Amino acid sequence: MPVSRRGQIRRVLLTVLWYNLFVLGIKVTVGLGTGSLAVLADALHSLTDSLSNLLGLLVNHWAKPEPDRQHPYGHQKFEAIAALGIAVFLGITCFEVLRQAVERLVGQTPPPQVGGLELGLLVLVLLVNGGVAQYEQRQGKVLDSPILLADAADTLSDVWINLTVLAGLLGVMAGWTWLDAALAIPVGLLVFHSGWQILTTNLPWLVDAMAIAPEAIAQVAQQVPGVVECHSITSRGVVGRQVFMELHLVVTATDLVTAHDLSEQVEALLQKHYGPAGITIHIEPKEICHSPKSVDTLESNRGNDHA
């Protein structure tokens, strides 16, 4: 039986996850064995890659979420809660790495002890990351998967971080003992940035922030002949993962069947632009359209209510 596209993406993500865990284990071993803060910060960045793979697997699993009785709007907020937990963990750990780096720079902790074995292991990590990035990028293009392409780009950035860390350890071996701690700071800040991106990407799920501008939704809906006006538009979720929309349509149709057909056309067009999406449409006759405006946002409705 041929494997579906989602199954192929899941298989690639699982393969990359195992490689990332292998790389993470090497970095943690080398970092703890040598006392290198730069390597430990790099290990923390690899941890973010592994957690991103896990989130990618969750996204792939719920790519076509099926609601149930207890969760009529699907299960995506569980993923957002997990992602926020990851962001908090990264923030706390990153702060600890930066604190130790500053202490080492001012001479409060001893410099790392680096040997040829540790350098050889980090070269192995560099080769594995390069191979994984090329493999994931190739599969992402074949499967037309934004998740794989984005993760491949992130893995490719690890290669440059690996080179930076290797340069730092070579500097330590040459007598520049301060270089390891100095390089740990930018690597740690990069990890902090990754945590911030996770936070800002997933927070809209939990606070039901507007996902799409009402004007943009109205513009798409009014492409369907027979739609006179689109108003009372709301949206929430994250475009590309799952969004929910509610809108009112004023239509020229005079019978229920035609009006229903218009709403189906609007829904199909919105799905094409913003799907996957859960869309609720309320149909109204053209006689209630008393003004020439085409968009009546939720904010203007509230303003009129207070007037």
Side-chain angles (χ1 to χ4, degrees), residues 33-100:
T34 62
S36 169
L37 292 178
V39 174
L40 289 175
D42 193 14
L44 184 59
H45 192 259
S46 292
L47 179 61
T48 67
D49 290 340
S50 300
L51 295 175
S52 295
N53 291 143
L54 289 174
L55 287 178
L57 286 168
L58 285 174
V59 171
N60 177 252
H61 181 70
W62 297 111
K64 190 177 180 182
E66 297 295 337
D68 54 36
R69 182 179 178 86
Q70 288 74 30
H71 308 94
Y73 291 100
H75 307 80
Q76 292 81 8
K77 286 191 176 182
F78 289 110
E79 176 195 333
I81 292 172
L84 292 182
I86 292 171
V88 171
F89 168 78
L90 290 177
I92 294 173
T93 311
C94 180
F95 173 80
E96 181 62 22
V97 170
L98 293 175
R99 183 187 64 81
Q100 292 187 30

Side-chain angles (χ1 to χ4, degrees), residues 259-278:
H260 175 74
D261 181 62
L262 288 175
S263 70
E264 290 287 311
Q265 293 181 51
V266 170
E267 182 173 350
L269 201 55
L270 289 172
Q271 287 283 2
K272 180 180 178 181
H273 280 77
Y274 304 114

Side-chain angles (χ1 to χ4, degrees), residues 224-277:
V224 176
V227 175
V228 177
E229 183 181 288
C230 182
H231 63 97
S232 298
I233 305 168
T234 60
S235 64
R236 60 187 176 90
V238 176
V239 176
R241 291 162 66 180
Q242 180 72 46
V243 293
F244 296 94
M245 306 179 211
E246 296 181 12
L247 56 146
H248 289 212
L249 291 181
V250 178
V251 298
T252 58
T254 57
D255 62 278
L256 183 60
V257 174
T258 306
H260 175 74
D261 181 62
L262 288 175
S263 70
E264 290 287 311
Q265 293 181 51
V266 170
E267 182 173 350
L269 201 55
L270 289 172
Q271 287 283 2
K272 180 180 178 181
H273 280 77
Y274 304 114

Side-chain angles (χ1 to χ4, degrees), residues 122-277:
L122 290 181
V123 170
L124 174 62
V125 165
L126 179 65
L127 295 175
V128 170
N129 275 339
V132 169
Q134 291 184 0
Y135 163 73
E136 196 170 16
Q137 187 177 55
R138 184 170 60 251
Q139 292 298 316
K141 291 179 179 178
V142 171
L143 299 172
D144 191 24
S145 170
I147 293 175
L148 294 182
L149 291 174
D151 197 50
D154 186 57
T155 303
L156 190 60
S157 70
D158 285 354
V159 173
W160 298 105
I161 296 176
N162 296 155
L163 288 171
T164 301
V165 172
L166 272 172
L169 293 186
L170 288 172
V172 170
M173 295 180 70
W176 301 338
T177 56
W178 54 269
L179 189 57
D180 176 74
L183 291 177
I185 293 177
V187 175
L189 291 176
L190 180 62
V191 175
F192 180 82
H193 177 68
S194 299
W196 179 254
Q197 285 186 313
I198 293 174
L199 181 67
T200 54
T201 300
N202 290 276
L203 194 58
W205 274 107
L206 301 180
V207 299
D208 287 336
M210 180 183 69
I212 308 163
E215 296 82 4
I217 295 176
Q219 185 177 17
V220 173
Q222 289 176 317
Q223 294 177 16
V224 176
V227 175
V228 177
E229 183 181 288
C230 182
H231 63 97
S232 298
I233 305 168
T234 60
S235 64
R236 60 187 176 90
V238 176
V239 176
R241 291 162 66 180
Q242 180 72 46
V243 293
F244 296 94
M245 306 179 211
E246 296 181 12
L247 56 146
H248 289 212
L249 291 181
V250 178
V251 298
T252 58
T254 57
D255 62 278
L256 183 60
V257 174
T258 306
H260 175 74
D261 181 62
L262 288 175
S263 70
E264 290 287 311
Q265 293 181 51
V266 170
E267 182 173 350
L269 201 55
L270 289 172
Q271 287 283 2
K272 180 180 178 181
H273 280 77
Y274 304 114

Side-chain angles (χ1 to χ4, degrees), residues 9-21:
I9 293 174
R10 182 175 181 273
R11 184 170 59 189
V12 173
L13 288 171
L14 281 172
T15 301
V16 173
L17 174 61
W18 285 115
Y19 276 114
N20 281 337
L21 290 175

